[in-house]
Amino acid sequence: MDLNAEKLELIKKIVKTKDVLLLKKIKAIFEEEKNELWEELTPEQQEEINIGIQNENRGDVVDF
C-alpha cells in the first residue's frame, strides 16, 4: 500500500472511532514528534521561526 493510501486508511479509522482515549494517544504521538523536531533545531533556527510567527501574527508578512 502506498503512503497516500495508508494516510487515507488512518483518516477513515480516526473519523469513525468513538474512543476518546485512542484519539488522545494519537494526538500525543504527533505532539511528541513535533517537540522532538523542535529540539533538533539550533537556537538560531528556533529564533528565526519564532520571529516569523510573531511577524505573521502582526500581519507583517509578504505573500509570494
Side-chain angles (χ1 to χ4, degrees):
M1 192 179 286
D2 71 351
L3 181 59
N4 286 332
E6 290 283 346
K7 289 179 181 181
L8 287 173
E9 190 63 33
L10 284 172
I11 290 169
K12 289 177 187 177
K13 290 179 180 184
I14 290 170
V15 169
K16 288 182 181 180
T17 189
K18 295 184 184 335
D19 186 340
V20 175
L21 182 59
L22 176 62
L23 294 173
K24 287 181 179 182
K25 288 179 180 180
I26 293 169
K27 184 177 179 181
I29 290 170
F30 281 105
E31 288 174 355
E32 181 179 319
E33 182 179 299
K34 183 177 81 173
N35 289 337
E36 288 174 6
L37 176 62
W38 181 257
E39 292 171 6
E40 291 176 10
L41 298 174
T42 66
E44 293 80 15
Q45 290 170 319
Q46 291 177 358
E47 181 64 21
E48 287 181 30
I49 291 169
N50 285 328
I51 290 170
I53 291 169
Q54 291 171 357
N55 289 341
E56 184 167 329
N57 288 338
R58 287 192 310 258
D60 296 341
V61 294
V62 176
D63 293 327
F64 293 94

